[in-house]
Amino acid sequence: MATKTSPIGIIDSGIGGFSVALKMQQQLPHENLLYFGDGGNMPYGNHSAEEILTMTRYMLRFMEERGVKALLVACNTISCLIDRYRGDMTCPVLSVVEAGADAVSQMAVHKVGVISTCFTHSTRCYPDLIGKKAPDKEVVSHGCPDLARLVEANVGDPAGQGILDADIQANMDALVNQEKIDCCVLGCTHYPLVEKNIQRLYPGLPLIDPADQMAKTIAGYLQENGLVNDQPGKGTLDIYTTGSVEEYREKAAKVGLNPVTSVQDYPILKL
Ligand code: DGL
């Protein structure tokens, strides 16, 4: 039975969900967070739907066993498929794609760009969901074959910024200069970790990080259900990964997560 002090679960294929954990630490600082990053199987965006579902089930079981009071699917790629598992979970499950579509449907813009993994792009989950919530908007979706992996490898590393900038431009130049989008949804949770690069390359282009809306939605749910953690101090952040503990510890610090209570190893599900 979930209580006020139960953690909120956050899952991603890798460190992309750190962008969601950051918003949670900023907007709901007293909540305890439990993070799972499947670093050993990342990137998910290049896997098949069946493989993504198998890996997701593994993470969902981990979260259920630890009694999370809500689960944030901090991976757009997984969010496109998460409806298949919603009924199996005892806690509410929030999709970052739903949050992104909610955010953009409230904005006074017409032509919406979405950058995401190729898998997310191929499902058309953003155009479909935005189309349902705000049929007046035009959505231009673009899949970035390698950007999530490059962010994972280079975030916070001065020597890697040139590689990141070049890949961002290869993926976004046409959206900005030819399609002339009014705003861009960062439809992969890795991308907000390089939001400053995107802002520098395309000054004035409004960027939508779905995590802002996700934090608002979960705050409302906790309030309505008497589940707000009212502990006086900051909440904990325990990170589990099937990847490298050292790398996760280092990257968590680089992106500004604070506190990081623990970083632990978890056995990988071999496909
Ligand atoms: N961070 C993930 C997302 O939001 C995916 C990255 C990957 O391809 O593993 O889609």
Side-chain angles (χ1 to χ4, degrees), residues 12-13 16-17 42-46 74-77 117 120 148 187-190:
D12 182 43
S13 61
M42 194 272 163
Y44 273 22
N46 301 344
C75 175
N76 293 261
T77 306
T117 65
T120 300
C188 166
T189 51
H190 281 73

Side-chain angles (χ1 to χ4, degrees), residues 11-17 19 35 38 41-47 52 73-80 96-97 116-120 126 144-145 147-149 152 186-192:
I11 59 169
D12 182 43
S13 61
I15 63 160
S19 63
Y35 189 94
D38 193 7
N41 284 317
M42 194 272 163
Y44 273 22
N46 301 344
H47 283 278
I52 296 168
V73 182
C75 175
N76 293 261
T77 306
I78 298 174
S79 292
C80 297
V96 72
V97 173
S116 69
T117 65
C118 289
F119 183 87
T120 300
Y126 267 105
C144 310
L147 186 54
R149 188 191 64 78
E152 183 108 357
L186 304 178
C188 166
T189 51
H190 281 73
Y191 305 164

Side-chain angles (χ1 to χ4, degrees), residues 139-168:
V139 182
V140 188
S141 167
H142 172 81
C144 310
D146 210 22
L147 186 54
R149 188 191 64 78
L150 291 175
V151 172
E152 183 108 357
N154 295 294
V155 70
D157 175 7
Q161 298 313 298
I163 298 170
L164 285 169
D165 286 357
D167 199 72
I168 291 166

Side-chain angles (χ1 to χ4, degrees), residues 2-7 30-32 69 222 226-230:
T3 66
K4 289 179 171 187
T5 55
S6 302
H30 304 292
E31 296 297 336
N32 297 325
K69 63 183 174 185
L222 297 176
L227 283 172
V228 174
N229 194 332
D230 40 24

Side-chain angles (χ1 to χ4, degrees), residues 19 40 88-89 98 109 118 130 140 143 148 165 171 177 189-190 197 199 220 227 240-241 244 253 267:
S19 63
D88 303 344
M89 296 292 287
E98 179 106 37
V109 288
C118 289
I130 295 170
V140 188
D165 286 357
N171 284 293
N177 300 325
T189 51
H190 281 73
N197 299 52
Q199 272 163 353
L227 283 172
Y240 285 80
T241 178
S244 155

